Amino acid sequence: MKEELQGYLLQMIEPLKKYYSDGKAELDLGAFAAGYGMKIAKMEGISRILWGLTPYWVGGGKEEEFRNIYKSALISGTNPESKEYWGDLSDNDQRMVEMAAISLNLIMTPEAVWEQLKKNEKENVAKWLYQINNYTQPDNNWNFFNVITNVALKKCGMPYSEERMQYGIERYEQFYLGNGWYSDGVRPQKDYYVSFGIHFYCLLYAKFMEEDKEHCTQYKERAKKFAETFLYWFDDEGKALPFGRSQTYRFAQVAFWSVFAAVVGEECPYLGVVKGIIARHFRYWMKQPIFDYAGLLTVGYTYPNLIMSEGYNSPSSPYWALKAFLCLSLSDDHTFWKAEEEELPPLAAIKRVKECDMLIQHRKGEVSALTAGQYPTVEHTHAPAKYSKFAYSSRLGFSVPRSNLSVEDCAPDSMLAFQCNGMIYVRRKCLEYKVEETAVYSKWSPVDGITVETTLIPTEKGHIRKHNIKSRFACVAYECGFSYPFGNNAAVKVDGHSAKIYDENGYSLITSEFGAGKAIRALPNTNLIFPLTQIPSVVYEIKEGEQEVEAHVMTEMKEGLVVIGKGDCYELQVKR
C-alpha cells in the first residue's frame, strides 16, 4: 500500500513542475481568484505541496528534483530583496495558514532543505515565519498555525514565542466539547475542520513536542476517543460524508486517519481498520474525474465545479488534500504497512453523535446523516446547503444553489423549500433543535411570517419528516428528497402525492399523503457528486394558519457499487 500511495502522490505533483516560477517561490496554476489575491495564491501552491512531499521524504521517497525546487523557493520567498518575496503579513492573513506546511517540513525533515541553507538564508526564513506572532488570527482552527510555526522555530534553534504557542493551546481547550470532539471555534460548526484541522495539528504537536507530556498524552487520548464516532462518517466503500464547507479538499477527509496512524500508530488496537479506511478512500477518489487534462487537481468535488467553491478557494487550494499523505512518513517496516486492510467494524445501523448534532445511519454502501443546529456564525458560500439540509449522503451527496430565484436554480434537495415573494427560502439557522437517539427535532423560520417545527425519524431505507407549519400568508412549499443522477437511462415517475427518480441501479423516492408529486430538474453542476440530477419532490399548497404534513424519503442503489460522476451520465463500477 505504501508504494500505491507514493504513486498517487507523484501522479499529483509531477505535472506541477513546469508551473513553478524562475525563483521557484510561486506556483501559478490558474486564472480564477480567491479573496486574498493571485500572489498569495501562488505562494499557497508552493506551501501545500509540502503536506505530501514532507512525509514522502521522511518515509524514504526518492524523488530528488523537488528538494532543489524547495530550497530555491524558501530562499526566494523569504528574501525581502527578491522579486518573489512572499511579503509581510497582516491580520488574519492567508499566509499564516500556509506557514504550517513549511513548518512541518522544517521539523520533520530539516536535512531536506533547512540544513542546505546558508546562515543568512536561515535567518530570512525564521524572520518571515516569526511574523505570525505579531498579528491576529481568526479564533478557530487557525490558532494552531501559531503553535506549529513556533514549534518549528524552536526545533531549528531560532527565536520563537512561547507565549503565542501557549495561547494557541489554551484557545483549543475552549473549543473542546467532550468525547473527543471540538467545535471549529466557539461556534456551532462541527465539520471536517475538527478532523483535518484541529485533531491533525494536535497530533502533530504530540509527535514533535514529547517534552510536553501532559498535552501530548491528552491529544492522543482525545484522538482515540474521537476515532470511535468519526468512523461513522465513512461507508464501507471508502466514501466519506459530504458535509460542511471546504469539500474541495476531497481526500483530506481521511487526513485524520493518516496522522492517527503516524502518531498513535501501534497504540491503536484496530490499525488494520484505519489502513482499510485510508486505502478504500484513496481508491475511490482516484477513480473520480478530479484532475484537468494537464493533470492538475481542480476545484470541485467528484468533478470540476466552481459553483460549490468558497471565496478562499484558489487554483492552488485543492492541494491541501495532500495532508492525507502524512502516513507516508512511516518507515517501510512499520506495523501499519504490515497490517491487513480490514473492513469497518460492526457499526450500529443508527448512531447518535450528540457532539456533532447528527443522527447517523449506516447501511451497505452508504452513510447518511440527519442533522440540525449546525449553521455557522461566519457564513461562507452556500452555508444553508452545506450545513442546514435535513439529510446528507455519502452516496448521493448534496446540491448547492445557482440562485434562489426558482426551485430549479436553488436545487433544494433534502430540504423543505418555500416559494414566496418571487424567491425560494430554506432552513438556515435553527431557533431550537434537539438530536435524540431516534429522532432529530428543529424549529426554524425560512422567512419572516413562517415558522416550522420539523421532526426527522430514521427508517430502514431513509427517513420520515413531520412538519408543523405556521404561516401568516398563503404560499407554495417543495418537500424535496435526495437528488438522483439523471443519466441516459434514468426515468421519472410522478404518481399523486409522490415522485420517484430511478434507473436500473436504484431510485430516490418521496411520498406524502398531501400535495402533488413533482420532479425538479436541477440546473447542471449543482450536485457535488453528479453533474446532472433530478430531485423528487412533493408540492404543498400552504394556507394561512397552521397545518401539519408528513413525508417519507427513501433511496436504494445496488450494493457493492462505487458511484462515479461522469459527464452527462454516470457509471457504477463493480467494487473489487
Side-chain angles (χ1 to χ4, degrees), residues 117-129:
L117 302 180
K118 299 176 182 176
K119 182 175 182 294
N120 67 307
E121 293 168 344
K122 290 181 178 180
E123 290 172 350
N124 282 340
V125 172
K127 288 177 182 177
W128 187 80
L129 289 172

Side-chain angles (χ1 to χ4, degrees), residues 74-311:
L74 276 187
I75 293 172
S76 299
T78 61
N79 179 3
E81 304 302 318
S82 167
K83 66 178 182 179
E84 295 185 11
Y85 177 54
W86 289 331
D88 296 335
L89 266 61
S90 58
D91 288 340
N92 305 326
D93 199 305
Q94 179 67 28
R95 285 165 290 195
M96 297 175 179
V97 180
E98 311 316 324
M99 285 181 172
I102 294 170
S103 298
L104 178 78
N105 183 265
L106 301 186
I107 297 168
M108 288 193 81
T109 177
E111 69 281 359
V113 177
W114 174 256
E115 292 176 1
Q116 309 304 315
L117 302 180
K118 299 176 182 176
K119 182 175 182 294
N120 67 307
E121 293 168 344
K122 290 181 178 180
E123 290 172 350
N124 282 340
V125 172
K127 288 177 182 177
W128 187 80
L129 289 172
Y130 191 86
Q131 292 181 86
I132 198 171
N133 297 308
N134 301 327
Y135 298 96
T136 60
Q137 302 169 323
D139 192 27
N140 56 8
N141 68 89
W142 280 46
N143 279 288
F144 246 56
F145 298 139
N146 241 325
V147 178
I148 299 300
T149 301
N150 279 293
V151 168
L153 291 170
K154 179 179 181 179
K155 296 293 183 181
C156 289
M158 307 304 284
Y160 71 98
S161 173
E162 183 72 27
E163 178 183 357
R164 295 297 291 174
M165 284 175 60
Q166 293 307 314
Y167 177 81
I169 291 170
E170 290 166 7
R171 287 309 300 155
Y172 267 22
E173 287 306 299
Q174 302 306 308
F175 307 157
Y176 189 63
L177 303 171
N179 201 33
W181 281 84
Y182 294 82
S183 58
D184 187 20
V186 184
R187 51 182 66 172
Q189 289 167 254
K190 281 84 68 173
D191 52 25
Y192 280 105
Y193 280 91
V194 179
S195 62
F196 63 42
I198 292 175
H199 271 294
F200 191 92
Y201 305 132
C202 286
L203 286 175
L204 289 183
Y205 184 90
K207 183 174 181 65
F208 304 134
M209 290 292 288
E210 292 182 353
E211 59 267 36
D212 184 359
K213 187 174 180 180
E214 178 183 354
H215 283 112
C216 290
T217 301
Q218 181 184 67
Y219 292 154
K220 286 196 226 180
E221 292 305 310
R222 285 180 180 176
K224 292 176 188 176
K225 195 67 179 173
F226 174 74
E228 294 175 8
T229 48
F230 190 53
L231 275 172
Y232 280 83
W233 285 46
F234 294 81
D235 68 27
D236 60 319
E237 293 180 343
K239 305 186 299 296
L241 185 71
F243 174 80
R245 65 190 179 101
S246 295
Q247 294 301 307
T248 197
Y249 299 150
R250 295 182 173 110
F251 45 90
Q253 292 168 327
V254 86
F256 166 79
W257 297 112
S258 189
V259 72
F260 188 79
V263 178
V264 178
E266 295 175 4
E267 297 177 35
C268 173
Y270 49 91
L271 205 55
V273 171
V274 174
K275 185 176 183 179
I277 293 172
I278 295 171
R280 290 187 296 274
H281 191 72
F282 267 108
R283 289 165 192 157
Y284 166 77
W285 278 111
M286 293 306 289
K287 292 177 181 176
Q288 312 305 318
I290 59 179
F291 302 97
D292 65 17
Y293 290 120
L296 306 182
L297 272 173
T298 57
V299 170
Y301 198 62
T302 65
Y303 61 93
N305 186 349
L306 281 176
I307 297 171
M308 52 77 70
S309 65
E310 287 89 12

Side-chain angles (χ1 to χ4, degrees), residues 305-320:
N305 186 349
L306 281 176
I307 297 171
M308 52 77 70
S309 65
E310 287 89 12
Y312 53 82
N313 293 157
S314 80
S316 303
S317 295
Y319 289 92
W320 215 54

Side-chain angles (χ1 to χ4, degrees), residues 499-513:
K500 181 178 183 180
I501 316 296
Y502 66 98
D503 59 17
E504 70 275 17
N505 298 303
Y507 65 83
S508 177
L509 168 68
I510 188 165
T511 182
S512 176
E513 295 181 358

Side-chain angles (χ1 to χ4, degrees), residues 298-463:
T298 57
V299 170
Y301 198 62
T302 65
Y303 61 93
N305 186 349
L306 281 176
I307 297 171
M308 52 77 70
S309 65
E310 287 89 12
Y312 53 82
N313 293 157
S314 80
S316 303
S317 295
Y319 289 92
W320 215 54
L322 302 192
K323 295 171 81 172
F325 287 105
L326 205 282
C327 62
L328 286 179
S329 62
L330 296 171
S331 62
D332 293 350
D333 60 355
H334 192 277
T335 306
F336 177 73
W337 303 120
K338 297 177 181 179
E340 294 292 327
E341 294 177 19
E342 296 180 20
E343 299 297 321
L344 291 175
L347 297 176
I350 300 173
K351 174 73 172 180
R352 179 180 73 134
V353 185
K354 65 182 180 65
E355 291 79 15
C356 63
D357 301 312
M358 285 182 178
L359 192 59
I360 300 179
Q361 298 174 263
H362 251 268
R363 56 177 172 155
K364 188 70 174 176
E366 181 182 32
V367 53
S368 58
L370 306 180
T371 188
Q374 279 266 26
Y375 203 70
T377 54
V378 177
E379 282 199 50
H380 291 290
T381 310
H382 303 314
K386 294 172 179 176
Y387 290 95
S388 295
K389 293 182 186 287
F390 298 139
Y392 293 85
S393 165
S394 65
R395 177 182 276 156
L396 296 174
F398 67 87
S399 300
V400 296
R402 280 179 175 265
S403 81
N404 279 29
L405 295 178
S406 72
V407 70
E408 291 79 13
D409 283 6
C410 187
D413 53 1
S414 298
M415 288 180 149
L416 177 62
F418 291 82
Q419 186 174 35
C420 51
N421 305 321
M423 297 284 286
I424 303 295
Y425 297 91
V426 297
R427 186 173 76 167
R428 296 173 68 195
K429 184 177 181 179
C430 293
L431 303 173
E432 300 174 14
Y433 73 95
K434 183 166 51 176
V435 179
E436 300 180 318
E437 297 293 338
T438 57
V440 175
Y441 165 83
S442 65
K443 183 178 181 180
W444 51 285
S445 175
V447 65
D448 187 35
I450 300 177
T451 302
V452 185
E453 291 182 83
T454 297
T455 301
L456 308 174
I457 303 168
T459 63
E460 184 179 351
K461 291 188 176 181
H463 61 275

Side-chain angles (χ1 to χ4, degrees), residues 551-563:
H552 292 227
V553 175
M554 289 167 277
T555 63
E556 190 66 62
M557 295 188 83
K558 288 183 180 178
E559 294 183 3
L561 299 173
V562 176
V563 180

